[in-house]
Amino acid sequence: MVQVVLKNIEKRWGTVTAVRDLDLTVNDREFLVLLGPSGCGKTTTMRMIAGLEPVTSGDIFIDSERVNDRPARDRDIAMVFQNYGLYPHFTVGENIGYPLRLRKIPEPELGNRIKAAAAKVHLEDYLDRRPRALSGGQRQRVALARAIVRTPNLFLMDEPLSNLDAILRVNMRAELKHLHHELKTTTVYVTHDQIEAMTLATRVAVMDQGQIVQLGSPEEIYSDPETLFVGTFIGSPPMNLLHGRMDGGVFTNPSVRLEGWPQNLAGDVVLGFRADAVALADPGSGNLSGTVFAVEYTGSGLLVVVSIGEATVTAFGHLDKRPVFDQSVDLLLDRDAVFIFDAATGKRIRRPGEEVRDGV
């Protein structure tokens, strides 16, 4: 059992607070992703777990032992970084085996463990090559094999795929997913890429301004956002937003009037809905109307961007009904799929019957 527990963690540099009052439990064998924009505190949190940054206040426990004062080398952690960190004058095999040589592992065992780690990332035929002869994806796999070869209790990964091109990122996500399935090692992974978070994580901790603003499975984070920040940060294409006022069950702004909301809702709100909650409709049959701003071909369909006053709304479209620029169109919005947020606080306002969602 390798569980990581953070209690009331704070990290300050003078008057700057990078992480504030953070509580988090990473369960045994879990793949937990710290997700958020640059400067939100996710990398600082991981570096404190690793022992690379001291904790200003609070406690960190790894496997039930408080490790605040334990140096990084004694925490049984393997880290994978964005920049690979390979030794250019070493071969692939020498790079993979370097942590074991520091531990003075006997040669026969050393060789077997290098080969086993290389096999897990499909590098058996590259052990004699230098890093300069490898592609970016292969170098990242060398870095992964170097982490695997130690059989650590905990993996920490800091944006390991951000230097790769789009196709390699997709391939490496699959590699990481399968490795976690095979090794079942507790993993903390840092990224600003919500696609990585959604595809890799057991759970996602969304961070903003040094705090975790929502923690849950990828399905829960996507389908049941607690705040406007989470709703807009997660999802591709981004969530559509309509700013306006709710009064007597009617939502209005200068370009939109939508009836049929709960009578008790009042005040300035933001309606948030994803592209699959709104569809192109026959003239006169929609509850929103606007003009086509752009049409994007996605291969399997279309993304239709519609201007509605000062807002734009993205909807999925069909290839056999391709609208044109500046065309007037109607949209049909599924009210049951709309999230309502308080415009001042950004917090979710839940309607009756919306208290619990299953995240599916």
Side-chain angles (χ1 to χ4, degrees):
M1 292 285 292
V2 181
Q3 186 183 67
V4 181
V5 179
L6 283 67
K7 292 186 176 180
N8 306 118
I9 295 298
E10 291 211 357
K11 177 62 182 179
R12 296 187 297 273
W13 288 283
T15 60
V16 176
T17 301
V19 177
R20 64 183 76 238
D21 195 26
L22 188 144
D23 292 305
L24 176 65
T25 297
V26 185
N27 298 317
D28 180 51
R29 302 185 180 188
E30 182 172 35
F31 197 120
L32 184 128
V33 174
L34 297 175
L35 172 69
S38 298
C40 71
K42 58 188 185 296
T43 294
T44 300
T45 299
M46 194 193 71
R47 288 176 64 83
M48 287 189 288
I49 296 172
L52 301 177
E53 287 286 351
V55 174
T56 303
S57 63
D59 296 300
I60 297 177
F61 298 87
I62 297 178
D63 205 13
S64 301
E65 294 187 19
R66 185 177 180 274
V67 297
N68 290 43
D69 302 318
R70 186 183 297 179
R73 65 178 177 274
D74 296 331
R75 297 192 185 191
D76 197 14
I77 287 170
M79 294 193 68
V80 181
F81 295 100
Q82 175 180 349
N83 61 0
Y84 318 140
L86 303 181
Y87 296 104
H89 55 291
F90 283 1
T91 64
V92 167
E94 289 167 340
N95 269 286
I96 294 173
Y98 186 69
L100 301 183
R101 290 190 183 279
L102 293 178
R103 295 182 176 188
K104 303 189 185 306
I105 300 298
E107 283 297 327
E109 181 184 351
L110 176 68
N112 290 335
R113 288 176 65 174
I114 290 172
K115 291 177 182 176
K120 288 187 183 300
V121 294
H122 314 294
L123 287 174
E124 310 98 302
D125 298 331
Y126 297 85
L127 291 175
D128 294 327
R129 297 192 186 184
R130 309 279 181 186
R132 64 177 177 271
L134 305 179
S135 68
Q138 289 168 333
R139 292 177 192 177
Q140 190 57 274
R141 282 190 279 159
V142 175
L144 283 171
R146 186 177 56 191
I148 291 167
V149 79
R150 289 181 47 203
T151 60
N153 280 330
L154 177 65
F155 284 131
L156 300 179
M157 301 187 183
D158 187 10
E159 308 241 24
L161 309 185
S162 60
N163 284 340
L164 305 181
D165 63 38
I167 294 176
L168 277 176
R169 279 201 303 273
V170 172
N171 293 337
M172 285 304 301
R173 285 203 306 264
E175 297 277 2
L176 286 171
K177 190 84 171 179
H178 188 75
L179 272 175
H180 182 255
H181 168 74
E182 276 193 331
L183 302 175
K184 297 178 172 59
T185 304
T186 306
T187 302
V188 178
Y189 186 103
V190 165
T191 184
H192 65 276
D193 186 326
Q194 52 103 4
I195 299 297
E196 281 182 30
M198 300 293 281
T199 54
L200 289 172
T202 308
R203 286 189 303 160
V204 179
V206 184
M207 295 189 66
D208 183 35
Q209 298 181 9
Q211 296 180 303
I212 294 175
V213 292
Q214 189 168 351
L215 175 65
S217 69
E219 293 85 355
E220 290 165 347
I221 296 291
Y222 179 84
S223 66
D224 199 18
E226 291 287 347
T227 67
L228 183 60
F229 172 81
V230 174
T232 54
F233 195 78
I234 299 293
S236 180
M239 181 180 285
N240 297 304
L241 302 177
L242 291 178
H243 294 257
R245 184 168 183 81
M246 194 76 75
D247 188 20
V250 180
F251 171 86
T252 57
N253 71 20
S255 305
V256 174
R257 178 183 173 87
L258 289 170
E259 301 179 355
W261 305 97
Q263 295 287 319
N264 63 331
L265 294 181
D268 294 333
V269 299
V270 180
L271 302 187
F273 51 95
R274 305 200 183 277
D276 55 6
V278 61
L280 295 176
D282 293 330
S285 63
N287 46 23
L288 297 171
S289 59
T291 58
V292 174
F293 180 79
V295 179
E296 300 176 4
Y297 173 69
T298 64
S300 59
L302 303 173
L303 287 177
V304 183
V305 184
V306 178
S307 293
I308 302 176
E310 296 183 355
T312 57
V313 169
T314 300
F316 288 120
H318 298 288
L319 295 174
D320 57 347
K321 294 183 179 180
R322 185 186 296 229
V324 297
F325 284 101
D326 301 323
Q327 176 182 337
S328 295
V329 293
D330 273 14
L331 298 172
L332 183 61
L333 175 63
D334 179 3
R335 284 187 178 83
D336 292 336
V338 173
F339 307 109
I340 306 173
F341 302 97
D342 185 290
T345 66
K347 292 183 178 179
R348 175 89 166 274
I349 301 172
R350 294 184 181 273
R351 292 167 282 171
E354 201 181 39
E355 302 305 317
V356 178
R357 287 197 177 193
D358 60 12
V360 179

